[in-house]
Coordinates of all heavy atoms in Angstrom, one line a residue:
M254 N 5.8 -7.1 15.4 CA 4.5 -6.5 15.6 C 3.6 -6.9 14.5 O 3.9 -6.6 13.3 CB 4.6 -5.0 15.8 CG 3.3 -4.3 16.0 SD 3.6 -2.5 16.2 CE 2.1 -2.0 16.9
T255 N 2.4 -7.4 14.8 CA 1.5 -7.7 13.7 C 0.5 -6.6 13.4 O 0.0 -6.0 14.4 CB 0.7 -9.0 14.0 OG1 1.7 -10.0 14.3 CG2 -0.2 -9.4 12.9
V256 N 0.4 -6.2 12.2 CA -0.5 -5.1 11.8 C -1.6 -5.6 10.9 O -1.3 -6.4 10.0 CB 0.4 -4.0 11.1 CG1 -0.5 -2.8 10.8 CG2 1.5 -3.6 12.0
T257 N -2.8 -5.1 11.1 CA -3.8 -5.4 10.2 C -3.8 -4.4 9.1 O -3.8 -3.2 9.3 CB -5.2 -5.4 10.9 OG1 -5.1 -6.3 12.0 CG2 -6.3 -5.8 9.9
V258 N -3.7 -4.9 7.8 CA -3.7 -4.0 6.7 C -4.9 -4.2 5.8 O -5.3 -5.3 5.5 CB -2.4 -4.3 5.8 CG1 -2.3 -3.3 4.7 CG2 -1.2 -4.3 6.7
R259 N -5.5 -3.1 5.5 CA -6.7 -3.1 4.7 C -6.5 -2.4 3.3 O -6.1 -1.3 3.3 CB -7.9 -2.5 5.4 CG -9.2 -2.5 4.7 CD -10.2 -2.0 5.6 NE -11.5 -2.0 5.0 CZ -12.5 -1.2 5.3 NH1 -12.3 -0.2 6.2 NH2 -13.7 -1.3 4.6
F260 N -6.7 -3.1 2.2 CA -6.5 -2.6 0.9 C -7.8 -2.1 0.4 O -8.8 -2.9 0.3 CB -5.9 -3.6 0.0 CG -4.4 -3.9 0.3 CD1 -4.1 -5.0 1.0 CD2 -3.4 -3.1 -0.2 CE1 -2.8 -5.3 1.3 CE2 -2.1 -3.3 0.0 CZ -1.8 -4.4 0.8
L261 N -7.9 -0.8 -0.1 CA -9.0 -0.3 -0.7 C -8.7 0.0 -2.2 O -7.5 0.2 -2.5 CB -9.5 1.0 -0.1 CG -10.0 0.8 1.4 CD1 -10.3 2.2 2.0 CD2 -11.2 -0.1 1.4
P262 N -9.6 0.0 -3.1 CA -11.0 -0.1 -3.0 C -11.5 -1.6 -3.0 O -12.7 -1.8 -2.9 CB -11.6 0.6 -4.2 CG -10.5 0.3 -5.3 CD -9.2 0.3 -4.5
D263 N -10.6 -2.6 -3.1 CA -11.0 -3.9 -3.1 C -11.5 -4.5 -1.8 O -12.2 -5.4 -1.7 CB -9.9 -4.9 -3.6 CG -9.6 -4.6 -5.1 OD1 -10.2 -3.7 -5.7 OD2 -8.8 -5.4 -5.6
D264 N -11.2 -3.7 -0.7 CA -11.6 -4.1 0.6 C -11.1 -5.5 1.0 O -11.9 -6.3 1.4 CB -13.1 -4.0 0.8 CG -13.5 -3.7 2.3 OD1 -12.5 -3.6 3.1 OD2 -14.7 -3.6 2.6
V265 N -9.8 -5.7 0.9 CA -9.2 -6.9 1.3 C -8.3 -6.6 2.6 O -7.6 -5.7 2.6 CB -8.2 -7.5 0.2 CG1 -7.5 -8.7 0.7 CG2 -9.0 -7.7 -1.1
T266 N -8.6 -7.4 3.6 CA -7.9 -7.3 4.8 C -6.9 -8.4 5.1 O -7.3 -9.6 4.9 CB -8.8 -7.1 6.0 OG1 -9.7 -6.0 5.7 CG2 -8.1 -6.8 7.3
I267 N -5.7 -8.1 5.5 CA -4.7 -9.1 5.7 C -3.8 -8.7 6.8 O -3.8 -7.5 7.2 CB -3.9 -9.3 4.4 CG1 -3.0 -10.5 4.4 CG2 -3.0 -8.1 4.1 CD1 -2.3 -10.8 3.1
T268 N -3.2 -9.7 7.5 CA -2.3 -9.3 8.6 C -0.9 -9.3 8.0 O -0.5 -10.2 7.2 CB -2.4 -10.2 9.8 OG1 -2.2 -11.5 9.4 CG2 -3.7 -10.0 10.5
A269 N -0.1 -8.4 8.5 CA 1.3 -8.3 8.1 C 2.2 -8.0 9.3 O 1.7 -7.6 10.3 CB 1.5 -7.2 7.0
E270 N 3.5 -8.1 9.1 CA 4.4 -7.7 10.1 C 4.8 -6.2 9.8 O 5.1 -5.9 8.7 CB 5.7 -8.6 10.1 CG 5.4 -10.0 10.5 CD 5.0 -10.0 12.0 OE1 5.6 -9.3 12.8 OE2 4.0 -10.8 12.2
A271 N 4.9 -5.4 10.8 CA 5.5 -4.1 10.7 C 6.8 -4.2 10.0 O 7.6 -5.0 10.4 CB 5.5 -3.4 12.0
G272 N 7.1 -3.4 9.0 CA 8.3 -3.4 8.3 C 8.4 -4.2 7.1 O 9.3 -4.2 6.4
E273 N 7.3 -5.0 6.9 CA 7.3 -5.8 5.7 C 7.1 -4.9 4.5 O 6.4 -3.9 4.5 CB 6.0 -6.8 5.7 CG 6.4 -8.2 6.0 CD 5.2 -9.1 5.7 OE1 4.3 -9.2 6.5 OE2 5.2 -9.7 4.6
P274 N 7.7 -5.2 3.3 CA 7.6 -4.4 2.2 C 6.1 -4.4 1.7 O 5.5 -5.4 1.7 CB 8.5 -5.1 1.1 CG 9.4 -6.0 1.9 CD 8.7 -6.3 3.1
M275 N 5.7 -3.2 1.4 CA 4.3 -3.0 1.1 C 3.9 -3.8 -0.2 O 2.8 -4.4 -0.2 CB 4.0 -1.5 0.8 CG 2.7 -1.0 1.3 SD 2.6 0.8 1.1 CE 2.8 1.3 2.7
L276 N 4.7 -3.9 -1.2 CA 4.4 -4.7 -2.4 C 4.3 -6.2 -2.1 O 3.4 -6.8 -2.6 CB 5.5 -4.5 -3.5 CG 5.5 -3.1 -4.1 CD1 6.7 -3.1 -5.2 CD2 4.2 -2.7 -4.8
A277 N 5.1 -6.7 -1.2 CA 5.0 -8.1 -0.8 C 3.7 -8.4 -0.1 O 3.1 -9.4 -0.4 CB 6.2 -8.5 0.1
V278 N 3.3 -7.5 0.7 CA 2.0 -7.7 1.5 C 0.8 -7.6 0.5 O -0.1 -8.5 0.5 CB 1.9 -6.7 2.6 CG1 0.5 -6.8 3.3 CG2 3.0 -6.8 3.6
A279 N 0.9 -6.7 -0.4 CA -0.1 -6.5 -1.5 C -0.2 -7.8 -2.3 O -1.3 -8.3 -2.5 CB 0.1 -5.3 -2.4
Q280 N 0.9 -8.3 -2.7 CA 0.9 -9.5 -3.5 C 0.3 -10.7 -2.7 O -0.5 -11.5 -3.3 CB 2.4 -9.8 -3.9 CG 2.5 -10.9 -4.9 CD 4.0 -11.1 -5.3 OE1 4.9 -11.0 -4.5 NE2 4.2 -11.3 -6.6
R281 N 0.7 -10.8 -1.5 CA 0.1 -11.9 -0.7 C -1.4 -11.8 -0.5 O -2.1 -12.7 -0.4 CB 0.7 -11.9 0.7 CG 0.6 -13.2 1.4 CD 1.6 -13.3 2.6 NE 1.2 -12.5 3.7 CZ 2.0 -11.6 4.3 NH1 3.2 -11.5 3.9 NH2 1.5 -10.9 5.3
A282 N -1.9 -10.5 -0.6 CA -3.3 -10.3 -0.4 C -4.0 -10.4 -1.8 O -5.3 -10.3 -1.9 CB -3.6 -8.9 0.1
G283 N -3.3 -10.7 -2.8 CA -3.9 -10.8 -4.1 C -4.1 -9.5 -4.8 O -4.9 -9.4 -5.7
I284 N -3.4 -8.5 -4.3 CA -3.7 -7.1 -4.9 C -2.4 -6.8 -5.8 O -1.3 -7.0 -5.4 CB -3.7 -6.1 -3.7 CG1 -4.8 -6.4 -2.7 CG2 -3.8 -4.7 -4.3 CD1 -6.1 -6.1 -3.1
T285 N -2.7 -6.3 -6.9 CA -1.6 -5.9 -7.8 C -1.5 -4.4 -7.8 O -2.4 -3.7 -8.1 CB -1.9 -6.4 -9.3 OG1 -2.2 -7.7 -9.2 CG2 -0.8 -6.1 -10.2
I286 N -0.4 -3.9 -7.4 CA -0.1 -2.5 -7.4 C 0.8 -2.3 -8.7 O 1.8 -2.9 -8.8 CB 0.7 -2.0 -6.1 CG1 -0.2 -2.3 -4.9 CG2 1.1 -0.6 -6.3 CD1 0.4 -1.9 -3.6
P287 N 0.3 -1.4 -9.5 CA 1.1 -1.1 -10.7 C 2.5 -0.5 -10.3 O 2.5 0.4 -9.5 CB 0.3 -0.1 -11.5 CG -0.7 0.5 -10.6 CD -0.9 -0.5 -9.5
T288 N 3.5 -1.0 -10.9 CA 4.8 -0.4 -10.6 C 5.6 -0.1 -11.9 O 5.3 -0.6 -13.0 CB 5.7 -1.5 -9.8 OG1 5.7 -2.7 -10.5 CG2 5.1 -1.7 -8.4
G289 N 6.6 0.7 -11.7 CA 7.5 1.0 -12.9 C 8.9 0.9 -12.5 O 9.5 -0.2 -12.6
C290 N 9.5 2.0 -11.9 CA 10.9 2.0 -11.7 C 11.4 1.2 -10.5 O 12.5 0.8 -10.4 CB 11.3 3.4 -11.5 SG 10.7 4.2 -10.0
L291 N 10.5 1.0 -9.5 CA 10.8 0.3 -8.2 C 11.9 1.1 -7.5 O 12.6 0.5 -6.7 CB 11.2 -1.1 -8.5 CG 10.1 -2.0 -9.0 CD1 10.6 -3.4 -9.3 CD2 8.9 -2.1 -8.1
M292 N 12.1 2.3 -7.8 CA 13.1 3.1 -7.1 C 12.6 4.3 -6.4 O 13.4 5.2 -5.9 CB 14.2 3.5 -8.1 CG 15.1 2.4 -8.4 SD 16.2 2.8 -9.9 CE 16.7 4.4 -9.5
G293 N 11.3 4.5 -6.4 CA 10.7 5.7 -5.8 C 10.7 7.0 -6.6 O 10.6 8.0 -6.0
S294 N 10.9 6.8 -7.9 CA 11.0 8.1 -8.7 C 9.9 8.3 -9.6 O 9.6 9.4 -10.0 CB 12.3 8.3 -9.4 OG 12.6 7.1 -10.2
C295 N 9.2 7.2 -10.1 CA 8.2 7.4 -11.2 C 6.8 7.6 -10.6 O 5.9 8.1 -11.3 CB 8.2 6.2 -12.1 SG 7.4 4.7 -11.5
H296 N 6.5 7.2 -9.4 CA 5.2 7.3 -8.7 C 4.1 6.5 -9.4 O 3.0 6.7 -9.1 CB 4.8 8.8 -8.6 CG 5.7 9.6 -7.7 ND1 5.2 10.1 -6.5 CD2 7.0 9.9 -7.7 CE1 6.2 10.7 -5.9 NE2 7.3 10.6 -6.6
A297 N 4.5 5.6 -10.2 CA 3.4 4.7 -10.8 C 2.8 3.9 -9.7 O 1.6 3.5 -9.8 CB 4.1 3.8 -11.8
C298 N 3.5 3.6 -8.6 CA 3.1 2.7 -7.6 C 2.4 3.5 -6.4 O 2.3 2.9 -5.4 CB 4.3 1.9 -7.0 SG 5.5 3.1 -6.4
E299 N 2.2 4.7 -6.6 CA 1.7 5.5 -5.5 C 0.4 5.1 -4.9 O -0.6 4.8 -5.7 CB 1.6 7.0 -6.0 CG 1.5 8.0 -4.8 CD 1.7 9.4 -5.3 OE1 2.9 9.8 -5.3 OE2 0.8 10.1 -5.6
V300 N 0.3 5.0 -3.6 CA -0.9 4.6 -2.9 C -1.1 5.7 -1.8 O -0.2 6.5 -1.5 CB -0.9 3.2 -2.3 CG1 -0.7 2.2 -3.4 CG2 0.3 3.1 -1.3
E301 N -2.3 5.6 -1.2 CA -2.6 6.6 -0.2 C -2.8 5.9 1.1 O -3.6 4.9 1.2 CB -3.8 7.4 -0.6 CG -3.8 8.9 -0.2 CD -4.9 9.6 -0.9 OE1 -6.1 9.5 -0.4 OE2 -4.7 10.4 -1.8
L302 N -2.2 6.4 2.2 CA -2.5 5.8 3.5 C -3.8 6.3 4.0 O -4.4 7.2 3.5 CB -1.3 6.1 4.4 CG 0.1 5.6 4.0 CD1 1.1 5.9 5.1 CD2 0.0 4.1 3.8
G303 N -4.2 5.7 5.1 CA -5.5 6.1 5.6 C -5.7 7.5 6.0 O -6.8 8.1 5.9
D304 N -4.6 8.2 6.3 CA -4.7 9.6 6.6 C -4.5 10.5 5.4 O -4.3 11.7 5.5 CB -3.7 10.0 7.7 CG -2.2 9.7 7.3 OD1 -2.0 9.3 6.1 OD2 -1.3 10.0 8.1
G305 N -4.4 9.9 4.2 CA -4.3 10.7 3.0 C -2.9 10.9 2.6 O -2.7 11.6 1.6
T306 N -1.9 10.4 3.3 CA -0.5 10.6 2.8 C -0.2 9.8 1.6 O -0.3 8.5 1.7 CB 0.4 10.2 4.0 OG1 0.0 10.8 5.2 CG2 1.8 10.6 3.7
P307 N 0.2 10.4 0.5 CA 0.6 9.6 -0.6 C 2.0 9.0 -0.4 O 2.9 9.7 0.0 CB 0.6 10.5 -1.8 CG 0.7 11.9 -1.2 CD 0.3 11.8 0.3
V308 N 2.2 7.7 -0.7 CA 3.5 7.1 -0.6 C 3.8 6.2 -1.8 O 2.8 5.7 -2.4 CB 3.6 6.2 0.7 CG1 3.5 7.0 2.0 CG2 2.6 5.0 0.7
C309 N 5.0 6.1 -2.2 CA 5.4 5.1 -3.2 C 5.5 3.8 -2.6 O 6.4 3.5 -1.8 CB 6.7 5.6 -3.9 SG 6.5 7.1 -4.8
S310 N 4.6 2.9 -3.0 CA 4.6 1.6 -2.3 C 5.8 0.7 -2.5 O 6.2 -0.1 -1.7 CB 3.3 0.8 -2.7 OG 3.3 0.6 -4.1
C311 N 6.6 1.0 -3.6 CA 7.7 0.2 -4.0 C 8.8 0.4 -3.0 O 9.7 -0.4 -2.8 CB 8.2 0.5 -5.4 SG 8.9 2.1 -5.6
I312 N 8.9 1.6 -2.3 CA 9.9 1.8 -1.4 C 9.4 2.0 0.0 O 10.1 2.5 0.9 CB 10.7 3.1 -1.7 CG1 9.8 4.3 -2.0 CG2 11.6 2.8 -3.0 CD1 10.5 5.6 -2.0
S313 N 8.2 1.5 0.3 CA 7.5 1.7 1.6 C 7.3 0.3 2.2 O 7.2 -0.7 1.5 CB 6.2 2.4 1.4 OG 6.4 3.7 0.9
S314 N 7.3 0.4 3.5 CA 7.0 -0.8 4.2 C 5.8 -0.5 5.2 O 5.4 0.6 5.3 CB 8.2 -1.3 5.0 OG 8.7 -0.3 5.8
I315 N 5.3 -1.6 5.7 CA 4.1 -1.5 6.6 C 4.5 -0.7 7.9 O 5.4 -1.1 8.6 CB 3.5 -2.8 6.9 CG1 3.1 -3.6 5.7 CG2 2.4 -2.7 7.9 CD1 2.1 -2.9 4.8
P316 N 3.9 0.4 8.2 CA 4.2 1.2 9.4 C 3.7 0.4 10.6 O 2.7 -0.2 10.6 CB 3.5 2.5 9.2 CG 2.4 2.2 8.3 CD 2.8 1.0 7.4
P317 N 4.5 0.5 11.7 CA 4.1 -0.1 12.9 C 2.9 0.7 13.4 O 2.9 1.9 13.5 CB 5.3 0.0 13.9 CG 6.2 1.0 13.2 CD 5.8 1.1 11.8
S318 N 1.8 0.0 13.7 CA 0.6 0.7 14.1 C -0.2 -0.3 14.9 O -0.3 -1.5 14.6 CB -0.2 1.1 12.9 OG -1.5 1.6 13.3
S319 N -0.8 0.2 16.0 CA -1.7 -0.7 16.8 C -3.0 -0.7 16.2 O -3.8 -1.6 16.6 CB -1.8 -0.1 18.2 OG -2.2 1.3 18.2
E320 N -3.3 0.1 15.2 CA -4.6 0.1 14.6 C -4.4 -0.4 13.2 O -3.3 -0.6 12.7 CB -5.2 1.5 14.6 CG -5.6 2.0 16.0 CD -5.9 3.5 15.9 OE1 -6.4 4.0 14.9 OE2 -5.8 4.1 17.0
E321 N -5.6 -0.6 12.5 CA -5.6 -1.0 11.2 C -4.9 0.0 10.3 O -5.1 1.2 10.4 CB -7.0 -1.2 10.8 CG -7.2 -1.9 9.5 CD -8.7 -2.2 9.2 OE1 -9.4 -1.3 8.6 OE2 -9.2 -3.2 9.5
V322 N -4.1 -0.5 9.3 CA -3.5 0.4 8.4 C -4.3 0.3 7.1 O -4.5 -0.8 6.6 CB -2.0 0.0 8.1 CG1 -1.4 0.9 7.0 CG2 -1.2 0.3 9.4
T323 N -4.7 1.4 6.5 CA -5.5 1.4 5.3 C -4.5 1.8 4.1 O -3.8 2.8 4.2 CB -6.7 2.4 5.4 OG1 -7.5 2.0 6.4 CG2 -7.5 2.3 4.1
I324 N -4.5 1.1 3.1 CA -3.8 1.4 1.9 C -4.7 1.5 0.7 O -5.4 0.6 0.3 CB -2.7 0.3 1.6 CG1 -1.7 0.3 2.8 CG2 -2.0 0.7 0.3 CD1 -0.6 -0.8 2.6
N325 N -4.9 2.7 0.2 CA -5.9 3.0 -0.8 C -5.2 3.1 -2.2 O -4.4 4.0 -2.4 CB -6.5 4.3 -0.4 CG -7.8 4.6 -1.2 OD1 -8.2 3.7 -2.0 ND2 -8.4 5.7 -1.0
L326 N -5.6 2.2 -3.0 CA -5.1 2.2 -4.4 C -6.0 3.0 -5.3 O -6.8 2.5 -6.1 CB -5.0 0.8 -5.0 CG -3.9 -0.1 -4.5 CD1 -4.1 -0.6 -3.1 CD2 -3.8 -1.3 -5.5
Y327 N -6.1 4.3 -5.0 CA -7.0 5.1 -5.9 C -6.4 5.1 -7.3 O -5.2 5.0 -7.5 CB -7.0 6.5 -5.4 CG -5.7 7.2 -5.3 CD1 -5.3 8.0 -6.4 CD2 -4.9 7.2 -4.2 CE1 -4.1 8.6 -6.4 CE2 -3.7 7.8 -4.2 CZ -3.3 8.5 -5.3 OH -2.1 9.2 -5.3
S328 N -7.3 5.2 -8.2 CA -6.9 5.3 -9.6 C -6.8 6.7 -10.0 O -7.8 7.4 -10.1 CB -7.7 4.4 -10.6 OG -9.1 4.6 -10.3
D329 N -5.6 7.1 -10.3 CA -5.3 8.5 -10.6 C -5.7 8.7 -12.1 O -5.1 8.1 -13.0 CB -3.8 8.8 -10.4 CG -3.5 10.3 -10.5 OD1 -4.2 11.0 -11.3 OD2 -2.5 10.7 -9.9
P330 N -6.7 9.6 -12.4 CA -7.1 9.8 -13.8 C -6.0 10.3 -14.7 O -6.0 10.2 -15.9 CB -8.2 10.8 -13.7 CG -8.1 11.4 -12.4 CD -7.4 10.4 -11.5
L331 N -4.9 10.9 -14.1 CA -3.8 11.4 -14.9 C -2.9 10.3 -15.4 O -2.0 10.5 -16.2 CB -3.0 12.4 -14.1 CG -3.8 13.7 -13.7 CD1 -2.9 14.5 -12.8 CD2 -4.3 14.4 -14.9
W332 N -3.1 9.1 -14.8 CA -2.3 8.0 -15.3 C -3.0 7.2 -16.5 O -3.4 6.2 -16.3 CB -1.9 7.1 -14.2 CG -0.7 7.6 -13.5 CD1 -0.7 8.4 -12.4 CD2 0.7 7.3 -13.8 NE1 0.6 8.7 -12.1 CE2 1.5 8.1 -12.9 CE3 1.3 6.5 -14.8 CZ2 2.9 8.0 -13.0 CZ3 2.7 6.5 -14.9 CH2 3.4 7.3 -14.0
Ligands
LIG604 S1 7.6 2.0 -9.1 FE1 8.4 4.0 -9.6 S2 8.1 5.1 -7.7 FE2 7.5 3.1 -7.3

């Protein structure tokens, strides 16, 4: 299943396969997501999905969706 993925705030849109690792898709789109542990515990890589759900991108993959998936790399002032 092909999913359209949109990265904010850079507003880069790319197509990906459902289940592809989020970091790999971001890299292909030329987006750098800051990472640390790569194990889902430090939250350095946290991004927000279109519905506002925070996820650790290092352990997440592209969800199957018939609609565009938005991945928001908000910059957390606490970091
Ligand atoms: S890199 Fe540490 S939670 Fe993702």
Side-chain angles (χ1 to χ4, degrees):
M254 181 180 195
T255 304
V256 181
T257 303
V258 183
R259 184 174 180 207
F260 289 96
L261 294 177
D263 289 7
D264 204 1
V265 174
T266 302
I267 190 172
T268 54
E270 292 297 316
E273 258 195 275
M275 220 173 252
L276 288 181
V278 176
Q280 192 176 38
R281 202 166 70 232
I284 304 283
T285 305
I286 298 179
T288 54
C290 67
L291 295 177
M292 283 168 46
S294 56
C295 75
H296 290 245
C298 62
E299 193 165 273
V300 296
E301 217 170 73
L302 299 182
D304 62 0
T306 309
V308 297
C309 289
S310 57
C311 68
I312 50 163
S313 299
S314 50
I315 300 301
S318 171
S319 52
E320 292 170 25
E321 191 177 86
V322 173
T323 303
I324 298 178
N325 193 3
L326 285 72
Y327 61 91
S328 42
D329 190 330
L331 295 177
W332 274 91

